[in-house]
Every structure is written in structure tokens, then in C-alpha cells.
Amino acid sequence: MSAGTGSATSRIHVLGAGAVGLLFAAHLRQAGHPITLLLRSQSAVDRFERQGSRISVINDWVRVHPSRRLLLQPGEDITPCTIDGIQAEDIHTDNDQQGVISKLVVATKAQDTLQAFGRVRMRLGAQSTVVLLQNGMGVFEAIQREFYTQPDNVPAFIVGTNAHGCLRASGDEFVTRHTAMGSCTFATRPALAACGAPDSALELMTALAELPLDVAVVNWSELHVQLLLKLAANAVINPATALAGCHNGLMSSHDMST
């Protein structure tokens, strides 16, 4: 798929080019939205452009799907799905040169989010919308404390939780392996600013809801409960997988469960 340039208000910027960020950027682009990856250096932008300004998704989840796996021959490789026409920018480029960000998906790791958000904060305004896609809780509150102590020029915020399994492909910087088909849930946080939600909030939420990733849109109180349950589960599973030296999915196998 090739991309048009798209207007500044229709373009979706994705901050965090790890496995989750690449997965959502690829699906949003495949749905027809103009996408810009915000990368950590100009050298990363140059590498992305040299390899064709594209993201590849390897849908490994089909190997365990009840029906889709029947279409695979034993030992058959899964052909990557390649999505092209994606733009990239260096996150450190002067804000005045890059312009306002209308829609931003933040998919950095939780511990890196505050610093990364600070790099683009001046490109956001009251008409912007930010999606936070981090494991755990407290990222929204940390951003609020650090950057938005006054209700002026505050963007709308959407918080999401993602249960899709995905890993960065070894040795391939812009390839993500979609290892397990899960679901994701999004909710709009109560507004920090006095004015209502901007148009970009509804537009971005609609774009997310239409993705083929089993997306649910709920109210904040319901998502808050889901986040608490996920936090409790991760508090048990993550130490166990670290001690066992395995990925999360192996914890359900017989050998691991005993």
C-alpha cells in the first residue's frame, strides 16, 4: 500500500517504533491513514528511508489459529505483510520546523514515555489528541504532573490497553512479529482542560475502533478496572517469566505450569 501525503490534521504520528508501535502504525496505515513514525535519531530516519519507508508485519498468530493454521503446510514460512508509504521524522528536530501534531499514538515503554513525550510536547495543543499505549499504570498522571499543571493548551488523552502478543523481529529494525491475536481496549480520560474534547479525539478513536485487532471502546471507569487486573496479572507473570527465562506465552504450557 502506498500513502498520500495527507493533511496535517489527518496525519497520525506514532512515537515509539518498537513491536507495539510498529504493529499499530502498520494497521493504521493499512486502513488508509497517513502515518509518520517519530524516531530517536536522524540516522534511524535515514535507515528507515533506505529500506523503503515501510513496515513489515509477520502474522505468526496464524500458526495457532483454529482455522487459519490449517492453510499452512508443515514448516511453511509466513510471508510478511509489507506496508509502505510511511513517513519518518527525527524526534530531536526543532519543533518549529515540524509543525503541530494533531493525533499522536505513544507506544514507548512506560519508563521511557515521560522523556519521549517531552520531546514533542510543544507540538501539541488544545486541538490535539494523544493515545497512551503503555503497560502498567500512572503514565497519564506522570505526564499531567510534569507538563500540564495549568488547564491551558492541554490535548485530549485516550488511554489504551493492548493484549496482542508482538515481538520485534531479530535483526530487522522495522519488522514486527504479531505472535498472538488478542484484543485492545480504549477509553477517553476525563478532560484536563475546561473545553470539550477536540474533533481529533473522535477521529482518532474511530480510527482505532475500526482496526482488525478486536478493539473495544469503553468508558474510563471500566477501563480503569481492566488496567488494575492487568497490573495484578503482570506482577505475577513478569517475575515468573524472568526467572524461567521464557516468553509469557510459554507460561500456560504443561511443563511451565508445574
Side-chain angles (χ1 to χ4, degrees), residues 226-249:
Q226 291 186 31
L227 290 172
L228 288 169
L229 292 172
K230 184 175 181 180
L231 180 63
N234 285 338
V236 175
I237 293 173
N238 291 348
T241 54
L243 290 171
C246 69
H247 295 307
N248 289 0

Short mmCIF file of all heavy atoms in Angstrom, two decimals, residues 226-249:
data_model
loop_
_atom_site.label_atom_id
_atom_site.label_comp_id
_atom_site.label_asym_id
_atom_site.label_seq_id
_atom_site.Cartn_x
_atom_site.Cartn_y
_atom_site.Cartn_z
N GLN A 226 -10.00 -2.78 34.27
CA GLN A 226 -9.21 -3.69 33.44
C GLN A 226 -7.71 -3.47 33.64
O GLN A 226 -6.93 -4.43 33.70
CB GLN A 226 -9.56 -3.49 31.97
CG GLN A 226 -10.95 -3.96 31.58
CD GLN A 226 -11.17 -3.87 30.08
OE1 GLN A 226 -10.25 -4.03 29.29
NE2 GLN A 226 -12.42 -3.62 29.68
N LEU A 227 -7.31 -2.22 33.77
CA LEU A 227 -5.90 -1.91 33.97
C LEU A 227 -5.41 -2.42 35.32
O LEU A 227 -4.28 -2.92 35.43
CB LEU A 227 -5.67 -0.40 33.87
CG LEU A 227 -5.84 0.20 32.47
CD1 LEU A 227 -5.78 1.73 32.55
CD2 LEU A 227 -4.78 -0.32 31.52
N LEU A 228 -6.24 -2.32 36.34
CA LEU A 228 -5.88 -2.84 37.65
C LEU A 228 -5.70 -4.36 37.60
O LEU A 228 -4.74 -4.91 38.17
CB LEU A 228 -6.93 -2.47 38.68
CG LEU A 228 -6.98 -0.99 39.11
CD1 LEU A 228 -8.23 -0.72 39.93
CD2 LEU A 228 -5.73 -0.61 39.90
N LEU A 229 -6.59 -5.06 36.91
CA LEU A 229 -6.49 -6.51 36.78
C LEU A 229 -5.24 -6.91 35.99
O LEU A 229 -4.54 -7.86 36.35
CB LEU A 229 -7.74 -7.06 36.11
CG LEU A 229 -9.04 -6.96 36.92
CD1 LEU A 229 -10.23 -7.37 36.06
CD2 LEU A 229 -8.96 -7.83 38.17
N LYS A 230 -4.95 -6.17 34.92
CA LYS A 230 -3.77 -6.47 34.12
C LYS A 230 -2.49 -6.21 34.91
O LYS A 230 -1.52 -6.98 34.83
CB LYS A 230 -3.76 -5.63 32.84
CG LYS A 230 -2.61 -5.96 31.90
CD LYS A 230 -2.71 -5.18 30.60
CE LYS A 230 -1.55 -5.55 29.67
NZ LYS A 230 -1.62 -4.81 28.39
N LEU A 231 -2.50 -5.15 35.72
CA LEU A 231 -1.34 -4.85 36.57
C LEU A 231 -1.09 -5.99 37.55
O LEU A 231 0.06 -6.41 37.76
CB LEU A 231 -1.57 -3.54 37.32
CG LEU A 231 -0.45 -3.08 38.25
CD1 LEU A 231 0.83 -2.79 37.46
CD2 LEU A 231 -0.88 -1.83 39.02
N ALA A 232 -2.15 -6.52 38.15
CA ALA A 232 -2.00 -7.62 39.09
C ALA A 232 -1.47 -8.87 38.39
O ALA A 232 -0.59 -9.57 38.93
CB ALA A 232 -3.34 -7.91 39.75
N ALA A 233 -1.99 -9.15 37.18
CA ALA A 233 -1.52 -10.33 36.45
C ALA A 233 -0.05 -10.19 36.07
O ALA A 233 0.75 -11.12 36.22
CB ALA A 233 -2.37 -10.52 35.20
N ASN A 234 0.34 -8.99 35.58
CA ASN A 234 1.74 -8.78 35.19
C ASN A 234 2.68 -8.86 36.39
O ASN A 234 3.84 -9.27 36.25
CB ASN A 234 1.89 -7.43 34.50
CG ASN A 234 1.36 -7.44 33.08
OD1 ASN A 234 1.24 -8.50 32.46
ND2 ASN A 234 1.01 -6.28 32.56
N ALA A 235 2.20 -8.46 37.56
CA ALA A 235 3.03 -8.52 38.76
C ALA A 235 3.40 -9.95 39.11
O ALA A 235 4.42 -10.20 39.76
CB ALA A 235 2.30 -7.86 39.93
N VAL A 236 2.58 -10.91 38.66
CA VAL A 236 2.86 -12.33 38.90
C VAL A 236 3.62 -12.93 37.72
O VAL A 236 4.64 -13.61 37.89
CB VAL A 236 1.55 -13.11 39.13
CG1 VAL A 236 1.85 -14.61 39.26
CG2 VAL A 236 0.85 -12.60 40.37
N ILE A 237 3.14 -12.66 36.49
CA ILE A 237 3.69 -13.33 35.31
C ILE A 237 5.09 -12.83 34.96
O ILE A 237 5.98 -13.63 34.65
CB ILE A 237 2.74 -13.12 34.11
CG1 ILE A 237 1.42 -13.86 34.36
CG2 ILE A 237 3.38 -13.62 32.81
CD1 ILE A 237 0.36 -13.58 33.33
N ASN A 238 5.32 -11.53 35.01
CA ASN A 238 6.61 -11.00 34.57
C ASN A 238 7.78 -11.51 35.41
O ASN A 238 8.81 -11.92 34.84
CB ASN A 238 6.58 -9.47 34.56
CG ASN A 238 5.67 -8.93 33.46
OD1 ASN A 238 5.25 -9.67 32.58
ND2 ASN A 238 5.38 -7.64 33.50
N PRO A 239 7.70 -11.52 36.74
CA PRO A 239 8.81 -12.11 37.51
C PRO A 239 9.00 -13.60 37.22
O PRO A 239 10.13 -14.10 37.16
CB PRO A 239 8.41 -11.88 38.96
CG PRO A 239 7.44 -10.75 38.92
CD PRO A 239 6.70 -10.91 37.64
N ALA A 240 7.87 -14.31 37.01
CA ALA A 240 7.97 -15.75 36.75
C ALA A 240 8.67 -16.03 35.43
O ALA A 240 9.52 -16.93 35.33
CB ALA A 240 6.58 -16.38 36.77
N THR A 241 8.34 -15.27 34.39
CA THR A 241 8.98 -15.49 33.10
C THR A 241 10.45 -15.07 33.14
O THR A 241 11.29 -15.68 32.48
CB THR A 241 8.26 -14.71 31.98
OG1 THR A 241 8.16 -13.32 32.36
CG2 THR A 241 6.86 -15.25 31.76
N ALA A 242 10.76 -14.05 33.93
CA ALA A 242 12.17 -13.64 34.07
C ALA A 242 12.98 -14.74 34.74
O ALA A 242 14.10 -15.05 34.32
CB ALA A 242 12.25 -12.35 34.88
N LEU A 243 12.43 -15.35 35.77
CA LEU A 243 13.13 -16.43 36.46
C LEU A 243 13.25 -17.67 35.58
O LEU A 243 14.26 -18.38 35.60
CB LEU A 243 12.39 -16.79 37.76
CG LEU A 243 12.45 -15.75 38.87
CD1 LEU A 243 11.51 -16.12 40.01
CD2 LEU A 243 13.88 -15.61 39.41
N ALA A 244 12.21 -17.93 34.77
CA ALA A 244 12.23 -19.11 33.91
C ALA A 244 12.96 -18.88 32.60
O ALA A 244 13.27 -19.82 31.89
CB ALA A 244 10.79 -19.55 33.63
N GLY A 245 13.20 -17.60 32.27
CA GLY A 245 13.89 -17.28 31.02
C GLY A 245 13.07 -17.62 29.80
O GLY A 245 13.59 -18.18 28.83
N CYS A 246 11.76 -17.32 29.81
CA CYS A 246 10.89 -17.66 28.69
C CYS A 246 9.96 -16.50 28.40
O CYS A 246 9.85 -15.55 29.18
CB CYS A 246 10.09 -18.93 29.00
SG CYS A 246 8.84 -18.69 30.29
N HIS A 247 9.26 -16.58 27.25
CA HIS A 247 8.24 -15.60 26.91
C HIS A 247 6.95 -15.90 27.66
O HIS A 247 6.72 -17.03 28.10
CB HIS A 247 7.98 -15.60 25.40
CG HIS A 247 9.16 -15.17 24.58
ND1 HIS A 247 9.82 -13.98 24.81
CD2 HIS A 247 9.79 -15.76 23.54
CE1 HIS A 247 10.81 -13.85 23.94
NE2 HIS A 247 10.81 -14.93 23.16
N ASN A 248 6.08 -14.89 27.75
CA ASN A 248 4.83 -15.04 28.51
C ASN A 248 3.99 -16.22 28.04
O ASN A 248 3.38 -16.92 28.84
CB ASN A 248 3.99 -13.76 28.42
CG ASN A 248 4.60 -12.62 29.20
OD1 ASN A 248 5.65 -12.77 29.81
ND2 ASN A 248 3.95 -11.48 29.18
N GLY A 249 3.92 -16.44 26.73
CA GLY A 249 3.04 -17.47 26.19
C GLY A 249 3.38 -18.88 26.66
O GLY A 249 2.51 -19.75 26.70
#
